[in-house]
Amino acid sequence: MSKISAVLLLLGLSWCGTAQASMEVDILEAIARQPAPSQDPDPLYAKWSRVAFHEAGKVYTLLDYKYLGHSRVAPGVDQQQFRFWVRHQGVEFPLIVSIRYDPVSEKLFTIQMEQERRGNLQIL
């Protein structure tokens, strides 16, 4: 009985090793077949972010930046808002840049830059 048990044990172990190796190969092949992750396209606000950086950078030294959000101001008028931490004449402060544009044609209407004070930031 012990010789038969030993043979069955060896056969079982060799089969398990083969099955495990086969599963590993299958997993590696599945990973290799997956398409490479593509780079995400720019977020919808990327164009307006570049405009805000450009305009604010003309006047202020830009230190930090945060996207605040998008809102529909009126029919045919959308707004993107950004908060910059800026330095001007040795003083650092938050600056709100609001860009209004036509969402269909992307025609720029206005760029407003205003130092943020308590209570003057509109909630989007």
Side-chain angles (χ1 to χ4, degrees):
M1 255 321 191
S2 66
K3 287 183 179 181
I4 293 175
S5 297
V7 169
L8 291 174
L9 180 63
L10 287 174
L11 286 173
L13 289 175
S14 67
W15 179 81
C16 287
T18 304
Q20 182 179 1
S22 175
M23 285 188 338
E24 288 174 359
V25 169
D26 290 343
I27 291 170
L28 292 174
E29 287 176 356
I31 291 171
R33 278 185 255 130
Q34 289 183 351
S38 62
Q39 288 184 324
D40 290 333
D42 284 345
L44 298 175
Y45 63 87
K47 172 183 179 175
W48 305 112
S49 175
R50 287 188 288 274
V51 171
F53 266 94
H54 179 74
E55 292 300 314
K58 288 180 181 179
V59 181
Y60 304 101
T61 302
L62 306 177
L63 304 173
D64 200 6
Y65 147 89
K66 181 179 181 183
Y67 174 64
L68 296 178
H70 168 266
S71 62
R72 170 94 9 115
V73 178
V77 182
D78 281 12
Q79 175 174 276
Q80 299 283 352
Q81 278 194 316
F82 306 88
R83 177 185 290 127
F84 290 90
W85 194 259
V86 300
R87 182 181 304 125
H88 186 64
Q89 298 177 345
V91 178
E92 293 181 6
F93 56 90
L95 178 77
I96 303 300
V97 178
S98 301
I99 299 176
R100 292 187 178 186
Y101 62 96
D102 181 323
V104 176
S105 69
E106 295 190 343
K107 177 185 174 192
L108 180 64
F109 295 137
T110 63
I111 299 174
Q112 180 183 6
M113 292 187 280
E114 181 179 9
Q115 181 176 348
E116 182 181 4
R117 294 179 186 82
R118 283 188 174 210
N120 76 340
L121 177 62
Q122 295 178 354
I123 304 299
L124 297 177

